[in-house]
Amino acid sequence: MAHELIERHHATLESALVAFAARDYWSPHPETPKAYGEPVDLAALQGRELLLDQPGTDGRVGPEPENGGERSPFGPELRVSYPHASDPSLLTAAARAAQPAWAEAGPLLRAAVCCEILHRINARTPEFATAVMHTTGQAYGMAFQAGGPHAQDRGLEAVACAYAEQTRLPVSAEWTKPQGKRDPLRMVKEFTAVPRGVALLVGCNTFPTWNGYPGLFASLATGNPVVVKPHPRAVLPLALTVAVAREVLADAGFSPDLVLLAAEQPGEGLAKALALHPDVRIIDYTGSTEFGEWLEDNARQALVYTEKAGVNTILVDSTDDYQGMLGNLAFSLSLYSGQMCTTPQNLLIPRDGIGTDQGPKSYQEVVADLGGAVGRLLGDDTRAAALLGAIVNPGVLQRIELAEKGEYGELALASRQIASEEFPEAVIRTPALVSLDAARDALPGECFGPIAFAVAVDSTAQGVELLRDTVRDLGAMTAAAYTTSSEVESAVVGACLDAGVSLSLNLTGQVFVNQTAAFSDLHGTGANPAANSAYCDAAFVASRFRTIEVRRHS
Amino acid sequence: MAHELIERHHATLESALVAFAARDYWSPHPETPKAYGEPVDLAALQGRELLLDQPGTDGRVGPEPENGGERSPFGPELRVSYPHASDPSLLTAAARAAQPAWAEAGPLLRAAVCCEILHRINARTPEFATAVMHTTGQAYGMAFQAGGPHAQDRGLEAVACAYAEQTRLPVSAEWTKPQGKRDPLRMVKEFTAVPRGVALLVGCNTFPTWNGYPGLFASLATGNPVVVKPHPRAVLPLALTVAVAREVLADAGFSPDLVLLAAEQPGEGLAKALALHPDVRIIDYTGSTEFGEWLEDNARQALVYTEKAGVNTILVDSTDDYQGMLGNLAFSLSLYSGQMCTTPQNLLIPRDGIGTDQGPKSYQEVVADLGGAVGRLLGDDTRAAALLGAIVNPGVLQRIELAEKGEYGELALASRQIASEEFPEAVIRTPALVSLDAARDALPGECFGPIAFAVAVDSTAQGVELLRDTVRDLGAMTAAAYTTSSEVESAVVGACLDAGVSLSLNLTGQVFVNQTAAFSDLHGTGANPAANSAYCDAAFVASRFRTIEVRRHS
């Protein structure tokens, strides 16, 4: 079985390693739904009991909402139930017990098993797409791509990176040191990658698989068992993931308890209890700054990888494709109702306007034209719903309401409610655009959801400084700029290198600042307050294992 | 100049990268004194003013002991003076100001400059040897090798590892994503390694260069300026290092303030003040567990790499070279009076004795024979002094006195005072050996200095468990075992992989458990409480920089 798995996934692993180093486009996971057969209706998921045969189970989470069952942002209850552990220590104990054989398996077999997990997840992409859609509120097309193949890509990227880092040193090496006229000293040295211990994945509501797979697979591939604590509103995608992982692990002759689900009943606070458990040595987290900082401050026994919140900023100086820019920006602001950690929020535009291929445009014109572009993009309700998805939680809706009352500043574009025949209960809203002036208004902090801020600035130079300060002080997952000037480009590149954020320049087509591609783009940098790590670089995996040397004379 | 430096060190860097991956013996730094010309007398160092032309200097440290001047463990005052900064913030500010040009230089030029620093340090090895000897108490031969070429090897290893990690991603990559019948999406993506910020090196008393160079060069090579805070008793070796680094940096057209000395007057507590400075983003520390833990707990704005204390353990089960084993152990216990973080402390020996090529030996015989081997090794005072060096501080001497009073258990071998004609004031002591029984006595915790413990254990199996528990609970930099049994070998390897310590097996010749070779052996593992990192793996360097991406359509 081990040999067969390694054979089966050898070419994929090799290609992933090549792609990781080359950064060209590559994916073994087709992104079009037609590659995967029939869609899976929500009804096919509803009523399932994903009890997973886990140790320590004393009951279930769900299916009723009052028992932790999920409700889709599109309306329906999911009515799925999950195992509930009587004590989180039983999960970590089961994980620890499973670890030795997995540690002994070595990097190559572990990588092959991880590839097989991703392969089986990939084959069930339509099911994951529906699960992601009805837990995150992403529209189906996005849930399919981001929750399916793109998440799988990020998982495979972590597997490849983990494999590469664990094999930098040879398994065995001869050491021969000359001693002048005497015989040389000769030794054999063996190097073994050993895991750190139990890893904890604390999942997020909006991208449970895309943001979950890098940490999950980086930890697993480096020999660590993983306890998966999903966000209470987005359990199903990670529960399905755990189910597949357990099945593959058992098939490969390992304990399924190398991957465990820690679902929680309402108010249980399981993430904190697990995070402080002495056996938990690695934590991956995506979510609020508040809880991310709590983890960093309190889970001192663990390596903590966090992706928190930030304020993504776009500087608009000039463009040679005004319509392309407006269309690209409109799409970026609209996709998943701006509920991405990568959605741009603050658009800095010189008060005296910008140069374009359609002549100079005043600040007011740019703001109005952007509003127009958003309106055109989302003019058709069906198309709009397919782009926007549903509002993920009441907090986002409250902020939209505040924006509409003018609480954030002058409303330049109102948010529109989109009616859905398919999901009449869903709250689907187009983005609001608020206009501010940096001479008068403080730059807004994070305002998660479909609310963007156009900010008039004194000059491009001031915009560059505000971008730099925002990234430094508040963090950012993304930054972008539009300019035809090489001087401005150089200044904004300098500010981004300095403040520590990756930059997208002059996006006017079908690549969007919100989106990064595994094997090519880094997601986050770890160099500003929004995140302490990136998907996926050596720093993300190299500390998840340690190397032990055994030496002897040969 | 830049191009010329890169040319000059290209072959060395390439060889270092190959050696790092192959783990065979390699060094560009000869380890025999005759390769370096005349020795440098202490008198040639005494009276120097190493004021370094640093910013913020308001006075000097030294040369008088009451002003922070050093006194050699061999007796003489060093009478060297160093710059004193009026405020540590002036040092971090100068470092920050120097950073941008260094960041912009890129990994290859930085590596070349670091190679040049090491090259010039290497050329001055006799001077460094004397400086290390008279600050650490190492005998000249050891100060020469460990403080000179071996430390330079560890520095170069860090430079090579840092270069490798910074160049895993291409500087620029094309990304072409097919779009079916439409034109593919094409982008150019640039990846830039950026430094984290000011690094702080907190040096140790016993190996200022050997333990200091990995962190210093890993930080510098990844673009971070470094403030060097030496141990108050071992300033000179790091002050000379800073002087050479500043000279090379200036010659290469960079600000010398990329490397700064933070010498302190008595009681100033400069390490704490610097460690908590918000601009300090990386800390490397070697020293006591207490201060290492303080740094980990309090310097939360920084990445903290610590090497603290542990209890190194040797399991003696059986040997086919009894005399070789005794000789090797005697040397390991004696070298630098056991004042190495890698010196074995607890020797676990079955109560019923061990099998050897000279027939079975009882526990008492092994202890007596080891005492005899130490006695023979150190029988000649001149030779003994050349191996032992001087006791580094009064705390070590106090522990020897406690051992002699029987406070630690039955004294199996008394420590002997060695008289030195050259240094009549020096305290030179042979190791003491204390005999304990695990059935009656608790295993001793760390007892730094020339005091080893022979511990009678019920069985080899119990010894394996005690070794595992000691490493897990108290940490260890090294472990060793002697056995002719493949079962025992397998058990002890398993315990070491499990507890997280590297293992030397059956050392009976001229390789000693205390010593590790750069480019081949890892020093520490980061997997047990003695250290949170190792010299030198990817994990030691990969987080010292971050990668920023800039992408645009091509």
Side-chain angles (χ1 to χ4, degrees):
Chain A
M1 178 68 186
H3 184 69
E4 198 274 321
L5 268 182
I6 289 170
E7 279 291 301
R8 192 187 307 168
H9 296 292
H10 186 259
T12 301
L13 184 61
E14 284 297 310
S15 299
L17 289 164
V18 169
F20 187 90
R23 317 308 287 178
D24 196 356
Y25 171 77
W26 181 77
S27 170
H29 306 122
E31 64 184 3
T32 53
K34 68 182 174 200
Y36 295 93
E38 290 304 302
V40 171
D41 285 345
L42 178 59
L45 297 174
Q46 283 171 318
R48 282 201 199 173
E49 294 196 331
L50 284 170
L51 296 182
L52 304 175
D53 197 22
Q54 284 192 175
T57 302
D58 68 345
R60 56 183 173 70
V61 170
E64 307 82 10
E66 57 273 25
N67 195 39
E70 301 139 287
R71 182 188 289 278
S72 168
F74 291 97
E77 285 179 19
L78 264 56
R79 291 194 281 112
V80 182
S81 50
Y82 310 101
H84 180 265
S86 57
D87 180 341
S89 289
L90 297 176
L91 297 177
T92 55
R96 275 193 67 164
Q99 182 180 301
W102 186 238
E104 208 171 321
L108 183 57
L109 179 53
R110 286 198 296 265
V113 171
C114 289
C115 285
E116 178 66 19
I117 295 170
L118 286 163
H119 178 74
R120 291 200 206 169
I121 287 172
N122 178 252
R124 290 168 64 175
T125 293
E127 198 179 340
F128 278 87
T130 299
V132 169
M133 175 179 177
H134 286 290
T135 49
T136 67
Q138 290 176 26
Y140 184 76
M142 181 174 178
F144 193 98
Q145 290 198 334
H150 295 173
Q152 296 150 21
D153 285 347
R154 282 287 178 201
L156 182 58
E157 178 186 59
V159 171
C161 188
Y163 177 76
E165 291 306 321
Q166 289 173 95
T167 53
R168 297 266 177 239
L169 300 191
V171 170
S172 177
E174 302 265 341
W175 180 82
T176 307
K177 182 174 179 181
Q179 298 291 295
K181 290 172 191 164
R182 287 173 293 152
D183 283 345
L185 297 173
R186 290 184 197 278
M187 300 198 84
V188 177
K189 303 180 178 186
E190 290 163 350
F191 300 93
T192 305
V194 300
R196 262 189 118 85
V198 178
L200 171 66
L201 170 67
V202 182
C204 71
N205 192 173
T206 49
F207 290 91
T209 56
W210 198 95
N211 277 94
Y213 285 3
L216 168 60
F217 284 98
S219 286
L220 196 59
T222 47
N224 307 282
V226 185
V227 176
V228 176
K229 210 304 285 175
H231 191 282
R233 280 198 282 263
V235 182
L236 184 54
L238 288 177
L240 290 172
T241 303
V242 171
V244 174
R246 291 175 65 83
E247 172 191 291
V248 171
L249 286 160
D251 287 355
F254 295 99
S255 166
D257 295 341
L258 288 164
V259 181
L260 291 154
L261 185 72
E264 64 185 325
Q265 284 159 346
E268 197 173 344
L270 199 49
K272 284 194 178 184
L274 281 164
L276 298 180
H277 195 287
D279 286 343
V280 168
R281 306 302 309 279
I282 303 172
I283 299 174
D284 286 274
Y285 170 75
T286 307
S288 72
T289 296
E290 187 188 359
F291 192 63
E293 289 181 347
W294 184 89
L295 287 170
E296 290 165 359
D297 288 345
N298 291 281
R300 304 303 312 284
Q301 84 291 354
L303 283 179
V304 180
Y305 299 90
T306 54
E307 183 186 318
K308 296 165 289 188
V311 175
N312 303 318
T313 301
I314 298 189
L315 177 67
V316 183
D317 166 72
S318 51
T319 178
D320 57 12
D321 182 0
Y322 188 54
Q323 292 307 324
M325 177 183 88
L326 294 172
N328 188 283
L329 287 176
F331 187 93
S332 279
L333 298 179
S334 303
L335 185 63
Y336 188 27
S337 310
Q339 298 172 123
M340 301 174 74
C341 60
T342 52
T343 303
Q345 179 185 303
N346 292 352
L347 287 70
L348 310 181
I349 305 165
R351 194 177 296 109
D352 295 337
I354 68 170
T356 82
D357 55 320
Q358 298 179 5
K361 300 285 177 183
S362 70
Y363 170 80
Q364 287 76 10
E365 283 175 300
V366 176
V367 173
D369 291 344
L370 179 58
V374 171
R376 278 191 303 283
L377 178 71
L378 305 175
D380 174 74
D381 276 10
T382 307
R383 194 179 158 204
L387 194 59
L388 294 166
I391 296 303
V392 68
N393 67 45
V396 175
L397 189 60
Q398 278 169 19
R399 283 190 288 276
I400 298 172
E401 286 160 359
L402 288 173
E404 285 177 341
K405 286 183 191 154
E407 294 279 337
Y408 295 131
E410 178 197 339
L411 194 63
L413 175 71
S415 169
R416 188 164 73 84
Q417 166 76 31
I418 304 281
S420 164
E421 280 186 27
E422 193 182 359
F423 300 110
E425 292 174 72
V427 177
I428 304 176
R429 299 294 298 252
T430 67
L433 187 59
V434 174
S435 176
L436 301 177
D437 192 311
R440 183 187 63 214
D441 307 307
L443 245 58
E446 197 214 7
C447 188
F448 185 76
I451 302 144
F453 297 85
V455 184
V457 296
D458 292 352
S459 63
T460 293
Q462 190 199 21
V464 171
E465 291 316 307
L466 289 173
L467 185 153
R468 183 199 310 259
D469 293 348
T470 301
V471 175
R472 254 199 206 145
D473 299 344
L474 303 175
M477 294 303 295
T478 59
Y482 291 88
T483 183
T484 57
S485 151
S486 59
E487 288 78 15
V488 170
E489 181 178 315
S490 173
V492 75
V493 166
C496 288
L497 292 179
D498 191 29
V501 68
S502 288
L503 173 68
S504 295
L505 274 167
N506 297 318
L507 297 184
T508 53
Q510 293 304 304
V511 173
F512 303 97
V513 66
N514 328 30
Q515 298 175 325
T516 62
F519 302 104
S520 183
D521 297 313
L522 294 168
H523 172 75
T525 64
N528 72 60
N532 73 3
S533 48
Y535 307 154
C536 176
D537 58 11
F540 188 66
V541 302
S543 294
R544 292 178 196 252
F545 67 96
R546 293 295 180 184
T547 304
I548 309 298
E549 177 183 343
V550 176
R551 62 180 185 174
R552 70 193 90 198
H553 285 287
S554 48
Chain B
M1 178 68 185
H3 184 71
E4 198 273 321
L5 267 183
I6 289 170
E7 281 290 302
R8 190 187 308 168
H9 296 292
H10 186 258
T12 300
L13 184 61
E14 284 296 312
S15 299
L17 289 165
V18 168
F20 187 91
R23 317 308 287 178
D24 196 356
Y25 171 77
W26 180 79
S27 170
H29 306 121
E31 62 184 4
T32 53
K34 68 182 175 199
Y36 296 93
E38 290 303 301
V40 172
D41 286 344
L42 178 58
L45 297 173
Q46 284 171 318
R48 282 202 199 170
E49 295 195 331
L50 283 171
L51 295 182
L52 303 175
D53 198 22
Q54 286 192 174
T57 302
D58 68 345
R60 58 184 172 71
V61 171
E64 308 82 9
E66 56 275 23
N67 195 39
E70 301 139 286
R71 182 188 290 276
S72 168
F74 291 97
E77 285 180 20
L78 264 57
R79 291 193 279 113
V80 182
S81 50
Y82 311 100
H84 180 265
S86 57
D87 179 341
S89 289
L90 296 175
L91 297 177
T92 55
R96 274 193 67 164
Q99 182 180 299
W102 187 238
E104 208 171 323
L108 182 58
L109 179 53
R110 285 198 297 264
V113 171
C114 288
C115 286
E116 178 66 18
I117 295 170
L118 285 163
H119 178 75
R120 290 201 206 168
I121 288 172
N122 178 253
R124 290 168 63 175
T125 293
E127 198 179 340
F128 278 85
T130 299
V132 169
M133 175 179 176
H134 286 288
T135 49
T136 68
Q138 291 175 26
Y140 184 76
M142 182 175 177
F144 193 98
Q145 290 198 334
H150 295 174
Q152 295 150 20
D153 284 348
R154 283 286 178 202
L156 182 58
E157 179 186 58
V159 171
C161 188
Y163 177 76
E165 291 307 320
Q166 290 172 94
T167 52
R168 296 264 178 241
L169 300 191
V171 170
S172 176
E174 302 265 340
W175 181 82
T176 307
K177 182 174 179 180
Q179 298 291 295
K181 291 173 191 164
R182 285 172 293 152
D183 282 345
L185 296 174
R186 289 183 198 279
M187 301 198 83
V188 176
K189 303 178 178 188
E190 289 162 352
F191 300 93
T192 305
V194 300
R196 262 189 118 84
V198 178
L200 171 66
L201 171 66
V202 182
C204 71
N205 192 173
T206 50
F207 289 90
T209 57
W210 198 95
N211 278 94
Y213 286 3
L216 168 61
F217 284 98
S219 286
L220 195 60
T222 47
N224 307 282
V226 184
V227 176
V228 176
K229 210 303 285 175
H231 190 283
R233 281 198 281 264
V235 182
L236 183 55
L238 288 176
L240 289 172
T241 303
V242 170
V244 174
R246 291 174 63 83
E247 173 190 291
V248 171
L249 286 160
D251 287 355
F254 295 100
S255 166
D257 295 341
L258 289 164
V259 180
L260 291 154
L261 184 74
E264 63 186 326
Q265 283 159 348
E268 197 173 344
L270 200 48
K272 284 195 179 185
L274 281 164
L276 298 180
H277 195 287
D279 286 344
V280 169
R281 305 304 308 279
I282 302 172
I283 299 174
D284 286 274
Y285 169 76
T286 307
S288 72
T289 296
E290 187 188 358
F291 192 63
E293 289 181 349
W294 184 89
L295 287 170
E296 290 166 0
D297 288 344
N298 291 281
R300 305 302 312 285
Q301 84 291 353
L303 283 179
V304 179
Y305 300 90
T306 55
E307 183 185 319
K308 297 164 289 188
V311 175
N312 304 318
T313 302
I314 299 189
L315 176 68
V316 183
D317 167 73
S318 52
T319 177
D320 58 10
D321 182 1
Y322 188 55
Q323 292 306 323
M325 178 183 88
L326 294 172
N328 188 282
L329 286 177
F331 188 93
S332 278
L333 298 179
S334 303
L335 184 63
Y336 187 26
S337 311
Q339 298 171 124
M340 302 174 73
C341 60
T342 52
T343 303
Q345 180 185 302
N346 293 352
L347 287 71
L348 311 182
I349 306 165
R351 194 177 296 109
D352 296 337
I354 67 169
T356 82
D357 57 319
Q358 299 179 6
K361 300 286 177 184
S362 70
Y363 170 81
Q364 285 77 9
E365 284 174 301
V366 176
V367 174
D369 291 345
L370 179 58
V374 171
R376 278 193 303 282
L377 180 70
L378 305 176
D380 175 75
D381 277 10
T382 306
R383 194 179 158 203
L387 195 58
L388 294 164
I391 297 301
V392 68
N393 66 46
V396 175
L397 189 59
Q398 278 169 18
R399 283 189 287 276
I400 299 172
E401 286 160 359
L402 288 174
E404 286 177 342
K405 286 182 191 154
E407 295 279 338
Y408 295 131
E410 180 197 339
L411 195 63
L413 176 71
S415 170
R416 189 165 73 85
Q417 166 77 31
I418 304 281
S420 164
E421 280 187 27
E422 192 181 0
F423 301 110
E425 293 175 72
V427 178
I428 304 176
R429 299 295 296 254
T430 67
L433 186 59
V434 174
S435 176
L436 301 177
D437 192 310
R440 185 187 60 215
D441 307 308
L443 244 59
E446 197 213 6
C447 188
F448 186 77
I451 302 145
F453 297 84
V455 184
V457 296
D458 293 351
S459 63
T460 293
Q462 190 198 22
V464 172
E465 290 316 306
L466 288 173
L467 185 153
R468 184 201 309 262
D469 292 347
T470 301
V471 175
R472 252 199 207 146
D473 299 343
L474 302 174
M477 294 305 293
T478 59
Y482 291 87
T483 182
T484 58
S485 152
S486 60
E487 288 77 16
V488 170
E489 181 179 314
S490 174
V492 75
V493 167
C496 288
L497 292 179
D498 190 30
V501 68
S502 288
L503 173 69
S504 296
L505 275 167
N506 297 318
L507 297 185
T508 53
Q510 293 304 304
V511 174
F512 303 98
V513 65
N514 328 30
Q515 297 175 325
T516 62
F519 302 105
S520 184
D521 297 313
L522 294 167
H523 172 75
T525 65
N528 72 60
N532 72 5
S533 48
Y535 305 155
C536 177
D537 59 11
F540 188 67
V541 302
S543 295
R544 292 178 196 252
F545 66 96
R546 293 296 180 183
T547 305
I548 310 297
E549 178 183 342
V550 176
R551 63 181 185 174
R552 70 192 92 198
H553 285 286
S554 48

